Amino acid sequence: MTVLNGKDIRFSKTEKKTAVALGSFDALHKGHIKVISAMKKYAENNNLLAVVQLVDIPNVQKINSDEKKLEILQRLGVDVVLKEDFTTEFKSVKYDNFVAEYIAERYNAAAVFSGENYRFGHMAEGDIQKLSEECGKYGIQVFTEKCVRLDNIVSSTEIRRFVTEGQMEKVIEYMGRPFSVSGEVVHGRELGRTIGFPTANINLLRGFVVPMDGVYLSKVLFDESVFFGITNVGAKPTVEVDEKNIETYISDYRGNLYGKKVEIQFLRRIRDIQKFESLDSLQAQLMDDEKKLMVLAEEEKKA
């Protein structure tokens, strides 16, 4: 898979033409996957390059890192990813010029795919009807996928809300996979070791949506291995630590993870953060949490 950035994007007219999935695709949720899968199938059947446009919109909390999005798109069999920064120049392009300058000229598109609520161009003046009208001038086919509807329309906005409310089962339902965070394991105060529950700590990333404070059952991925864990998001009042971070006790693992990159997948919120009277009380609660974790692990194995 090839990744191209901004002004580097210009397909030669002598190359294959492209089928392009249009959007920001921040969440890469079930609706996004539907659009991209339809584009990929069409590209295969018509000898086109399968292309996904990613628009990085500032001041919006991210759901996935760029690395995670590229990992997912690679699995979907995308040929080329076009990364467009939401610069002043980019957001000022009128919808008709966007079709002429980007879709027809730079992307060399034979077909474009989008969701039914897709908007584009300056002040989001372009809609599906305008996209069809303008693309028709260049012989570009336009395909529109209906939104995926569960209890509500599947959207990045809904998924951000679920994450901030700790509704991780809903996130999985809407995205088709768990919400996750990745980072390098850093040194903490290492108090968990004293009660038999050593934890891996990662720092919160700026600009990303953060789960509601609480204790979660999770999966932990590193070195191509998968473990189950108990993840604390927030402060640690029992040991008088006020700063907010993410720390995970990894069941059945006692190795050294400092400096390693790990991915924490949030599966289920099980309780609020509590202040315990003693470390013994905290240890007893963590043992109870681990029992819940083992039940979940067995459910996952049977699924």
Side-chain angles (χ1 to χ4, degrees):
M1 185 174 74
T2 302
V3 180
L4 300 176
N5 292 280
K7 293 182 179 179
D8 297 333
I9 301 168
R10 188 173 294 277
F11 289 92
S12 168
K13 297 299 182 181
T14 62
E15 294 176 349
K16 280 184 180 181
K17 292 184 78 69
T18 67
V20 185
L22 298 168
S24 60
F25 298 118
D26 179 30
L28 281 175
H29 54 57
K30 286 183 174 178
H32 293 155
I33 300 300
K34 182 181 178 185
V35 172
I36 294 168
S37 297
M39 177 277 296
K40 171 64 178 173
K41 184 176 180 180
Y42 184 88
E44 287 178 343
N45 291 339
N46 292 276
N47 194 30
L48 303 172
L49 285 174
V51 176
V52 171
Q53 177 202 52
L54 294 181
V55 180
D56 189 13
I57 301 176
N59 303 319
V60 174
Q61 287 184 315
K62 294 183 179 180
I63 296 169
N64 296 297
S65 66
D66 286 349
E67 182 179 5
K68 186 66 177 179
K69 285 190 280 190
L70 294 179
E71 174 193 316
I72 294 166
L73 294 173
Q74 177 89 51
R75 288 203 304 266
L76 291 172
V78 171
D79 296 316
V80 181
V81 174
L82 310 178
K83 294 177 67 177
E84 294 281 9
D85 293 326
F86 200 63
T87 61
T88 300
E89 178 185 355
F90 184 83
K91 69 182 182 182
S92 299
V93 177
K94 293 184 178 180
Y95 71 87
D96 53 346
N97 290 334
F98 179 78
V99 173
E101 296 172 16
Y102 284 78
I103 294 176
E105 179 63 26
R106 293 173 62 187
Y107 300 171
N108 193 24
V112 293
F113 290 74
S114 72
E116 63 182 323
N117 55 359
Y118 176 66
R119 308 288 300 197
F120 67 103
H122 180 61
M123 302 296 290
E125 290 178 342
D127 57 15
I128 293 303
Q129 182 177 343
K130 289 185 173 68
L131 181 66
S132 296
E133 291 171 355
E134 294 301 319
C135 283
K137 297 176 182 178
Y138 304 92
I140 299 169
Q141 295 265 55
V142 175
F143 298 92
T144 304
E145 296 294 325
K146 289 191 175 296
C147 293
V148 175
R149 297 172 186 269
L150 298 173
D151 0 2
N152 296 305
I153 291 176
V154 173
S155 70
S156 298
T157 299
E158 280 290 270
I159 290 166
R160 287 187 189 91
R161 179 173 69 84
F162 293 145
V163 172
T164 59
E165 292 176 356
Q167 298 189 60
M168 295 307 173
E169 295 97 332
K170 281 290 186 185
V171 174
I172 293 170
E173 182 183 356
Y174 276 54
M175 281 212 301
R177 65 183 186 281
F179 171 77
S180 68
V181 297
S182 297
E184 184 178 296
V185 177
V186 298
H187 286 274
R189 295 178 64 182
E190 302 184 5
L191 292 172
R193 295 182 182 278
T194 66
I195 58 173
F197 286 86
T199 59
N201 295 263
I202 63 174
N203 292 324
L204 294 168
L205 297 176
R206 290 183 180 179
F208 285 78
V209 63
V210 177
M212 178 183 184
D213 284 6
V215 179
Y216 296 81
L217 303 182
S218 59
K219 276 185 181 177
V220 187
L221 286 64
F222 58 90
D223 290 345
E224 299 183 354
S225 298
V226 180
F227 294 85
F228 284 87
I230 301 167
T231 297
N232 186 95
V233 178
K236 293 174 278 188
T238 302
V239 293
E240 298 181 350
V241 174
D242 294 328
E243 66 267 22
K244 186 169 183 173
N245 72 346
I246 297 176
E247 64 170 349
T248 302
Y249 163 70
I250 305 172
S251 183
D252 297 326
Y253 182 81
R254 293 296 180 270
N256 183 356
L257 289 178
Y258 293 124
K260 282 186 178 289
K261 186 170 184 180
V262 301
E263 178 182 349
I264 310 297
Q265 296 183 345
F266 290 81
L267 303 178
R268 186 180 303 167
R269 187 177 187 274
I270 55 173
R271 62 180 175 87
D272 293 334
I273 292 173
Q274 301 166 247
K275 182 173 183 177
F276 295 92
E277 295 180 359
S278 66
L279 290 179
D280 288 342
S281 298
L282 173 59
Q283 182 184 41
Q285 179 61 64
L286 290 173
M287 291 173 67
D288 186 59
D289 293 343
E290 189 168 23
K291 290 177 183 177
K292 293 184 176 70
L293 182 65
M294 293 302 99
V295 171
L296 179 63
E298 286 301 313
E299 291 174 357
E300 291 269 328
K301 289 176 184 177
K302 293 175 182 177

